[in-house]
Amino acid sequence: MAGTISRGIKAPIIRQGDDIVKITADSVLAAAKEDGFTLHERDVIAVTEAIVARADGNYASTDDIAADIRAKFGGETVGVVFPIQSRNRFAICLRGIARGAKKVVLQMSYPADEVGNHLFDEDLLDQTDINPYTDVLSLEQYRAAFGYVKHPFTGMDYVEYYQNLIKEEGAEVEIIFANHAEAIVDYTKNVLCCDIHTRERSRRRVTKAGAEKVYTLCEIMNESVNGSGYNAQYGLLGSNKATESTVKLFPKNAQEVAEGIQKEILARTGVTVEAMVYGDGAFKDPVGKIWELADPVVGAGYTSGLVGLPNEVKLKFLADNDFADLSGDELRAAIEERIREKDANLIGKMTSEGTTPRRLTDLIGSLCDLTSGSGDKGTPIVLVQNYFNNYATK
């Protein structure tokens, strides 16, 4: 009778140099023995990217970031476009950027950043003549229109916070507010696109508008600086605050770890599980309005069985349409038979209308992120069982 089960698995506190593959396998198997459950084929063992990067020692300091910024922009003015509002995600990165620049022109989107953190309530725009699609606001114009607004969850005025942070690092600062990336080119031709999921679009737009030196966060700390950590694919994207002067980078060995977990479990149990390293889930908070997805991807690394999308029929559609005249055991048998006979690809078919057209890694990773949480649960490993079962599974 049980459907999908998502279990948070406790693990030791991970330190640099720990064998994350062995610790993950040990933790899952210890939990199975203690709680009396059994691993099955295609169960999913997922581990958060944070402890994978910690075990690998993938860290960078503000000095490392500053050195990379100086190497790429020559220590001159840097236009920082579309940063997200986050003490955890961006503040330490901004310290390093400011330390490596003479001046920072900070271009913030309004009324919210890319992941849904609001500078102010968007309804306030309706009380002004400001057009958020075209208007570029100075700091003075912004304050006159919207005042000093603190984030409802963090209590921070991120405009003031980022302004002071840049000054503390010895750089000049100018803040503008605009929702088209190319606005920055009127202030500087050196541009760092700090958006996450729209970064390549921003790069194209500022380059077309005349920017000369253009980088995204993927290209900062994409190589080791003075022996630091790095991420060749994502650079500073997906990084988190570690200390007041260091960030933990997105793991560079996630695929290796996922495949290693699958092999370790197979060797110790004879069961072939799927495995993944997951980052932020992809979902929206209806109250705070923030999208959780501040990492560049949900699935940082995963085994081959997690490639693809669900291929599911909608049970209520079948019950209300094809089998509206059936009930009880007869209805159950008819639906089970339809599931067993379903096409290998249901895209565009009415029987799949209303199912979730998202990648398996995004769905499972989001489930894992909700399960593990971001605080003191102490369960950075998640075991998902029965995910690939359906109504017809015996």
Side-chain angles (χ1 to χ4, degrees), residues 215-282:
Y215 294 92
T216 72
L217 282 183
C218 288
E219 296 158 302
I220 307 300
M221 301 310 303
N222 60 344
E223 296 179 339
S224 180
V225 176
N226 299 321
S228 72
Y230 66 96
N231 187 299
Q233 185 174 8
Y234 295 119
L236 279 178
L237 282 185
S239 62
N240 292 84
K241 176 180 178 179
T243 70
E244 293 300 327
S245 61
T246 58
V247 292
K248 176 198 62 60
L249 300 170
F250 210 53
K252 63 181 184 292
N253 60 335
Q255 188 62 32
E256 175 187 338
V257 168
E259 293 174 357
I261 292 169
Q262 184 182 59
K263 292 176 183 176
E264 181 77 5
I265 293 294
L266 178 62
R268 291 168 67 169
T269 68
V271 176
T272 301
V273 300
E274 304 297 341
M276 71 178 294
V277 176
Y278 65 94
D280 275 349

Side-chain angles (χ1 to χ4, degrees), residues 165-190:
L165 188 152
I166 293 167
K167 288 179 179 178
E168 288 170 7
E169 293 302 325
E172 299 176 47
V173 58
E174 182 173 3
I175 301 179
I176 63 171
F177 302 83
N179 292 321
H180 50 291
E182 59 269 30
I184 195 68
V185 179
D186 289 336
Y187 299 82
T188 178
K189 300 297 190 292
N190 298 330

